[in-house]
Amino acid sequence: RPTQISIRIERERDTVRIELANPYHDAPGHHAGNRMALANIRERLALFFDLEARLETEARDGSYRVSIRFPYRRPAK
């Protein structure tokens, strides 16, 4: 079944922002794995960026959205 997923990645000065969205259907039984995956991503962001990173989720109006923000760091020369 076709579905639309949108991904937007942008750098705004010293911040990288990633936004993902996909259709959301409240189906029982699938949420435990999703929560574990999001918790793992949050933990990795915290380990690498400490309190400078954020991961937020929202399910509203038939869409599930994930927003991730973290500092932009220039590669070492």
Side-chain angles (χ1 to χ4, degrees):
R1 171 172 107 176
T3 190
Q4 183 175 1
I5 297 172
S6 67
I7 301 170
R8 189 171 93 194
I9 303 170
E10 64 184 8
R11 186 179 123 206
E12 192 174 279
R13 294 185 214 135
D14 294 337
T15 301
V16 176
R17 182 172 56 197
I18 303 171
E19 294 184 3
L20 303 100
N22 60 273
Y24 175 74
H25 305 287
D26 193 13
H30 292 236
H31 299 294
N34 294 347
R35 283 191 296 267
M36 183 184 303
L38 289 170
N40 287 339
I41 294 169
R42 276 190 182 98
E43 182 178 341
R44 289 171 188 259
L45 286 168
L47 287 171
F48 195 71
F49 296 107
D50 199 22
L51 298 175
E52 297 178 275
R54 283 195 337 236
L55 184 147
E56 299 171 345
T57 62
E58 175 184 52
R60 185 175 62 173
D61 300 330
S63 181
Y64 188 79
R65 299 179 187 278
V66 177
S67 176
I68 302 170
R69 295 174 192 240
F70 54 89
Y72 172 75
R73 295 186 180 159
R74 296 189 187 280
K77 291 184 179 183

